[in-house]
Amino acid sequence: MTAWHRSRRADLGLRASGLLLCAIAYAAALILSAMHISSQNAGVFAYAFAAICFLGASAGSALVMLGHHLSDEIELSERWRPRSRDTFLPPENSKAMNTTEPALLVVGRDTDGSWTVRESAGAMLGRFPSAQAAERFAQGERRGRTTVAIATSAGFQPRIAGRLSLRTDGVGLPETARA
């Protein structure tokens, strides 16, 4: 006994429903073109007719062309086949990830004056408004790992508040520069 979609009657039914979907898409395209709507003034109905047109034409043409072959199995190339865990090899141009845990967490300030927690390799783990919040985060990251130490750093000096700008009107410049 064959599957229901493999019969001649099912094939004709699928192709006929594809023709019906194409006809619905054509009718939606006619209605959409008769609306004479610019793209700036398109409303919900214009988008609905456009969606009906696109989906009906796509699904209808697939059904008309393929019929009962729509659900056929295809053979995947070797590249896309799943591999077993035993045969996994990383690509030749990839670098192995360093998954060792950091030996040191550094709590300090950055150039903006925010408190940060960084790994010893320099990767930032977090930015905090106060030193206490940064210390609590570092303690939480260290919890359960005795090989990780926490150090504090003075960091950078905070930036000057505001921005420095050059004035072009000559006001505020020394007498030698006003020429």
Side-chain angles (χ1 to χ4, degrees):
M1 185 171 141
T2 62
W4 70 269
H5 63 279
R6 294 287 179 206
S7 68
R8 179 86 171 139
R9 175 183 261 170
D11 184 43
L12 291 175
L14 288 171
R15 290 179 194 269
S17 63
L19 285 174
L20 179 65
L21 281 173
C22 286
I24 291 172
Y26 181 72
L30 286 177
I31 293 171
L32 187 62
S33 65
M35 294 172 86
H36 298 293
I37 297 176
S38 66
S39 60
Q40 291 85 11
N41 298 333
V44 175
F45 289 115
Y47 285 115
F49 282 119
I52 290 169
C53 180
F54 175 75
L55 294 174
S58 298
S61 62
L63 285 172
V64 167
M65 297 300 280
L66 297 174
H68 73 275
H69 294 289
L70 189 64
S71 61
D72 284 352
E73 290 186 24
I74 58 169
E75 185 176 338
L76 293 175
S77 69
E78 187 64 35
R79 177 180 181 181
W80 299 109
R81 289 185 189 164
R83 298 181 184 147
S84 67
R85 289 197 175 273
D86 300 335
T87 61
F88 175 75
L89 295 174
E92 295 173 9
N93 58 355
S94 69
K95 295 179 181 177
M97 292 179 58
N98 184 6
T99 58
T100 61
E101 61 184 36
L104 183 67
L105 296 176
V106 180
V107 177
R109 294 186 92 161
D110 63 0
T111 57
D112 292 330
S114 299
W115 288 90
T116 61
V117 177
R118 295 183 182 270
E119 293 181 348
S120 55
M124 183 183 300
L125 297 176
R127 181 176 294 213
F128 304 93
S130 67
Q132 293 80 15
E135 288 282 338
R136 279 195 306 266
F137 177 79
Q139 290 293 340
E141 286 292 308
R142 180 178 182 234
R143 188 166 293 132
R145 298 184 285 178
T146 57
T147 59
V148 178
I150 298 175
T152 57
S153 168
F156 300 100
Q157 293 295 323
R159 290 186 179 166
I160 298 172
R163 297 190 181 267
L164 298 177
S165 62
L166 297 176
R167 299 180 69 162
T168 59
D169 59 358
V171 178
L173 294 176
E175 291 297 323
T176 57
R178 289 186 200 160

